[in-house]
Amino acid sequence: MPSTKIQLRWQPLPRVPERNHRMINSVVFGVPIKCHHRVSDVLSRTNGPSFGSVTSVSIRTKARPFLLGDANGRFGRFGGKFVPETLMSRLRDLEEELDFVLSDHEFQAELTTALRDYVGREMPLYLAERLTEHYRNKSRTTGDGPEIYLKREDLGHSGSHKMNNALAQAMIARRFGCSRVVVATGAGQHGVATAAACAKLSLECTVFMGTTDIEKQSSNVLSMKLLGAQVSSLEGTFQDASSEAIRNWVENLETTYYLSGTVVGPHPSPVMVREFQSVIGKETRKQAKRLWGGKPDVLVACVGSGSNALGLFHEFVGDEDVRLVGVEAAGLGLDSGKHSATLAVGDVGVYHGSMSYLLQDDQGQILRPHSIGVELEYPGVGPEISFLKETGRVEFYTATDKEAIQACMLLSRLEGIIPALEASHALAFLDKLVPTLRDGAKVVVNCSGRGDKDLDTLIQRGMPSSLC
Amino acid sequence: MATSGTASTFRPSVSASSRLTHLRSSPPFKVPNFTPLPSSRSHSFSVSCTIAKDPTFLMAEAEKTKAAGSDPTLWKRPDSFGRFGKFGGKYVPETLMHALSELETAFYSLATDDDFQRELAGILKDYVGRESPLYFAERLTEHYRRENGEGPLIYLKREDLNHTGAHKINNAVAQALLAKRLGKRRIIAETGAGQHGVATATVCARFGLQCIIYMGAQDMERQALNVFRMRLLGAEVRGVHSGTATLKDATSEAIRDWVTNVETTHYILGSVAGPHPYPMMVRDFHAVIGKETRRQAMEKWGGKPDVLVACVGGGSNAMGLFHEFVDDTEVRMIGVEAAGFGLDSGKHAATLTKGDVGVLHGAMSYLLQDDDGQIIEPHSISAGLDYPGVGPEHSFLKDMGRAEYYSVTDEEALEAFKRVSRLEGIIPALETSHALAHLEKLCPTLPDGARVVLNFSGRGDKDVQTAIKYLEV
């Protein structure tokens, strides 16, 4: 899909007749497609809060502007559904389904059990004592300094936060009666998480991955194959794999579910992924209450497309006293042209179905991003993230490859936790953040993944000789 | 008895030895030679120690055990000498006796120290990520369902979700905390494939302790990634070039270090082997696995498990699960060892199935030895099971008939590795795959609705490269 610097006028959607969730007839290319839904009586939907606050898209009359997109998936001017007509009805079906499952007791109970017993939730909110002490000794002459807590998403099954979303969406795929799931993956984390969820739920899984990424992440590729997924390679990186996955989905709409790994894409993808990741923030609120009887003062997360960040932030967006900080990848430096700092230097345009900030040249061509944290290598960013930037609710900074590596080494040495290079970007920002905070301020950093997958990269690049 | 060139330099304090096989008395005496001290895993030892105490004393002990009968609540596990029946004990040089007694005293006092227990519980929760779930494996259960719809229910105790991906950290964390309490700021360990080294380096980083890992130079080449990991975590990895430059040489070097620096240094042993108090201590530190399982079973189905299954190398993950239930005689306990290329091939690590009783690493237990008492080099595709001995408590449970032990070949383990990845989306460690493979034989014999809890002791990310070579994926 071409991007453009010209802001597109939002086209109002045609009225949609009420659905009875029995059989949907869609016409694609003149061929009727039947998509069987699980029979669910619309009238008997209950509004149960079993998954925390229900923030479904049908709620439109909230006073607070920060909370949600409107019914068409817009966050201010960002978001939307820039897709061919063939996909519109499918997206509407997905919207309805999302609306339903968010308040359906049965679905929520099944998901909660799976998150607890399969994924290993809840993840600890861990006080990093030695890291806290490190910053105390480094930058202060008196006082205790802030306290640094890590939200341990690295402990989840498959080693990152990606599973929270993959599992929930795989359950939705099964409800749709789809037998097959397609995904695109960069570093492979989303691919592995989806392959695992599909194995558990007896779904076929096809993963699209760029050859450049396959070379860098061979062990993730092997894991996906072991888990029974089919890995399709193509020239390029994650953005090309995304396009190919979407193409494959459109060609096989009957049987296939496209499982988006992050908060980009046409509505309802950004809202859906954010909802499923928001368990991170919900747990954090409860744990903070339990640990120190209050809320965090600052939340820090790395931002590629924004799923782990929104997962942590969303719960606190309405709490004005909680500062939200996102850290993008500055790669080899913002001036080098080799980075992924979409919000820092990008412009607004449409990419992969939604309007958001993206890295583009003067002709609106997408630039190739770079980061040592492969999952951060995406030229766009989620529309809700763009909105939170524009309204000033979230502050965004950047960290270079070198700073991320240093941060990875520091946490390994001080806490015995090897973080993923993506999460290391968030940790790197602590160097600049901590000296500005008052004593006793509670900082929560989203440790979004473990770093076992990055050992080869660390060995090849940027490791100081003293360690080898 | 032949000895390797530069192997252990210990001279035992007893001048005579006898090789005990079961309760046979007065075999020919041989000049004794010590094996290197405790090790979590070892590939081969060219020296074995077959010293035992006075055989008549041991026979009396064994009689005592028999008299205790089949009521597990009457068994001393262990007694004050560190014996489990006739197994266990402290076969070490005099220089280490003091360190071991000190460790024992410290361990007993910390067991009742509320501060220590609270600190340990906090670390297990927030750092390690406990409690680990008891996960109902729906597709695996379906796979074992018989044609008439009957079959057992399979639950997996998810130790793979722990920080560092295996059960090993439970013990490493507790021992590091104990060392700190003892005022020892220096930790040593030896490692073969590197897993135990990584767990030790991890906890040392967490507690700010100096960490030295001894590793054979050959192993260092084969496991470069783990060496890098240990160094990234701040540990010093010392290559050992003597002998065959593998695990047993690294073990000797570590022991030499411990003997020299015993006042400042704690030796973190990775399994329920070695001299007393290690088997008891490591078991108790892993016992959290069984304790959680009891509570979770009660919550989930209001009862106890019917069968417990775990893989057995040194035996730590198995003891961690079993210990809580030993007194519950209606709970069946099954350990699964590595049969490598097959029990008849001579290339396996099925100590309890094919071994004889002797002393290895400071404890009396079953071990793989030839007719001259030389240790047979074991083999298994999984490094963690590749050990010629086994923890003394397992030997005891086997002899008492309380636990059953079987074995599984490399091939069967690889099949299970693939099967569970496909069915449940969880890649098991090759060690765990042995336990999973045994389900093929076990499940058809179980009654409908029998609840099986399998200790999913580790995740298989580390084994993906190895497995791919053998599997067609």
Side-chain angles (χ1 to χ4, degrees), chain B residues 112-178:
Chain B
T112 51
D113 182 333
D114 282 336
D115 275 340
F116 178 85
Q117 293 302 333
R118 212 184 349 250
E119 196 182 347
L120 181 58
I123 291 165
L124 286 174
K125 175 164 164 285
D126 290 336
Y127 184 67
V128 176
R130 297 208 78 89
E131 57 179 51
S132 55
L134 186 63
Y135 167 71
F136 175 57
E138 209 178 305
R139 290 195 74 197
L140 210 53
T141 298
E142 199 188 302
H143 173 78
Y144 290 116
R145 195 166 293 141
R146 302 185 272 268
E147 268 165 27
N148 58 3
E150 295 184 350
L153 302 167
I154 319 275
Y155 292 81
L156 305 174
K157 182 62 175 158
R158 299 290 301 279
E159 293 297 301
D160 62 301
L161 291 175
N162 295 341
H163 182 45
T164 67
H167 70 292
K168 292 219 170 279
I169 190 123
N170 300 325
N171 169 59
V173 131
Q175 284 205 42
L177 209 55
L178 184 128

Side-chain angles (χ1 to χ4, degrees), chain A residues 120-227:
Chain A
R121 300 211 74 91
E122 55 177 52
M123 302 313 174
L125 187 63
Y126 165 70
L127 171 59
E129 263 172 39
R130 292 193 75 208
L131 192 63
T132 299
E133 198 190 313
H134 165 84
Y135 284 114
R136 182 184 308 148
N137 297 336
K138 193 170 146 189
S139 56
R140 292 178 183 250
T141 44
T142 57
D144 287 333
E147 278 178 3
I148 303 174
Y149 290 82
L150 303 176
K151 183 61 175 161
R152 300 290 302 280
E153 293 297 311
D154 61 297
L155 290 176
H157 180 47
S158 82
S160 77
H161 70 292
K162 297 275 175 200
M163 185 59 95
N164 304 327
N165 167 58
L167 189 61
Q169 284 203 53
M171 283 168 62
I172 290 181
R174 207 169 50 166
R175 284 173 59 90
F176 270 128
C178 296
S179 57
R180 192 173 162 259
V181 167
V182 293
V183 292
T185 191
Q189 291 305 102
H190 178 52
V192 170
T194 309
C198 287
K200 176 177 168 16
L201 297 173
S202 322
L203 294 164
E204 271 177 52
C205 180
T206 305
V207 181
F208 289 89
M209 199 169 175
T211 43
T212 323
D213 290 332
I214 287 180
E215 270 166 37
K216 286 191 261 186
Q217 308 282 336
S218 59
S219 63
N220 268 344
V221 177
L222 291 176
S223 297
M224 283 183 254
K225 290 183 174 164
L226 268 170
L227 292 163

Side-chain angles (χ1 to χ4, degrees), chain B residues 221-233:
Chain B
E221 263 180 54
R222 293 190 282 212
Q223 305 286 337
L225 213 60
N226 270 340
V227 174
F228 178 78
R229 211 184 246 120
M230 285 183 261
R231 286 176 168 158
L232 185 59
L233 292 161

Side-chain angles (χ1 to χ4, degrees), chain A residues 363-405:
Chain A
Q363 267 124 36
Q365 293 305 306
I366 305 294
L367 296 172
R368 255 194 202 281
H370 159 82
S371 170
I372 200 173
V374 180
E375 292 276 348
L376 301 180
E377 263 183 346
Y378 185 62
V381 77
E384 189 169 1
I385 293 269
S386 295
F387 177 67
L388 290 169
K389 172 188 158 80
E390 204 150 84
T391 52
R393 180 62 186 97
V394 180
E395 308 158 45
F396 291 94
Y397 304 96
T398 61
T400 60
D401 284 356
K402 207 164 143 201
E403 288 167 338
I405 292 175

Side-chain angles (χ1 to χ4, degrees), chain A residues 116-118 124 126 130 152 157 196 199-200 202 222 225-226 228 412-416 450 452 455 467, chain B residues 126-127 133 135 139 158 163 202 205-206 208 229 231-233 300 421-425 459 461 464 473:
Chain A
R116 185 195 64 202
D117 289 348
Y118 185 68
Y126 165 70
R130 292 193 75 208
R152 300 290 302 280
H157 180 47
K200 176 177 168 16
S202 322
L222 291 176
K225 290 183 174 164
L226 268 170
S412 304
R413 204 167 32 85
L414 290 181
E415 295 287 350
R450 61 176 188 247
D452 298 278
L455 293 176
L467 268 187
Chain B
D126 290 336
Y127 184 67
Y135 167 71
R139 290 195 74 197
R158 299 290 301 279
H163 182 45
T202 299
R206 168 66 185 80
R229 211 184 246 120
R231 286 176 168 158
L232 185 59
L233 292 161
K300 284 190 183 309
S421 302
R422 293 276 161 100
L423 287 180
E424 292 290 345
R459 61 174 186 247
D461 302 43
V464 163
V473 177

